[in-house]
Amino acid sequence: FVVSNRRGEESARYDLVMGPVANDQLYATIRLYEQGVITSEAAIEMLRTHRLFDQLSFHTAEAATLLKFMEAVEVSGE
């Protein structure tokens, strides 16, 4: 998904995507894969060593209906 999205390819077939938040380490690994320096298997193995945090990406209105408001928390700027 990430590589296709970076290439500007159609991603409309997905309602909801869950995966790690991209950071510099992740992008470096993806670049190596895109350039053909490493295989997809090697890229996946390298990505497993990164400490990443998951994110959700809602791509359709139907997927957004899965959201349920639970609470609001005010965060001080100080």
Side-chain angles (χ1 to χ4, degrees):
F1 172 81
V2 172
V3 172
S4 294
N5 191 45
R6 285 171 48 94
R7 291 179 180 162
E9 296 172 2
E10 181 64 36
S11 62
R13 66 177 182 238
Y14 301 105
D15 294 315
L16 175 66
V17 176
M18 179 178 174
V21 174
N23 62 21
D24 290 342
Q25 290 178 322
L26 184 132
Y27 281 128
T29 301
I30 290 173
R31 270 194 302 277
L32 291 173
Y33 168 72
E34 289 178 323
Q35 294 169 351
V37 175
I38 60 174
T39 64
S40 60
E41 292 82 10
I44 290 169
E45 193 59 37
M46 290 172 69
L47 292 171
R48 287 185 178 149
T49 66
H50 298 287
R51 180 180 164 101
L52 302 171
F53 300 94
D54 283 339
Q55 65 182 345
L56 296 173
S57 178
F58 292 81
H59 292 250
T60 64
E62 184 179 357
T65 65
L66 300 172
L67 294 171
K68 178 182 176 187
F69 178 79
M70 298 187 69
E71 70 177 304
V73 177
E74 186 174 336
V75 179
S76 171
E78 298 175 16

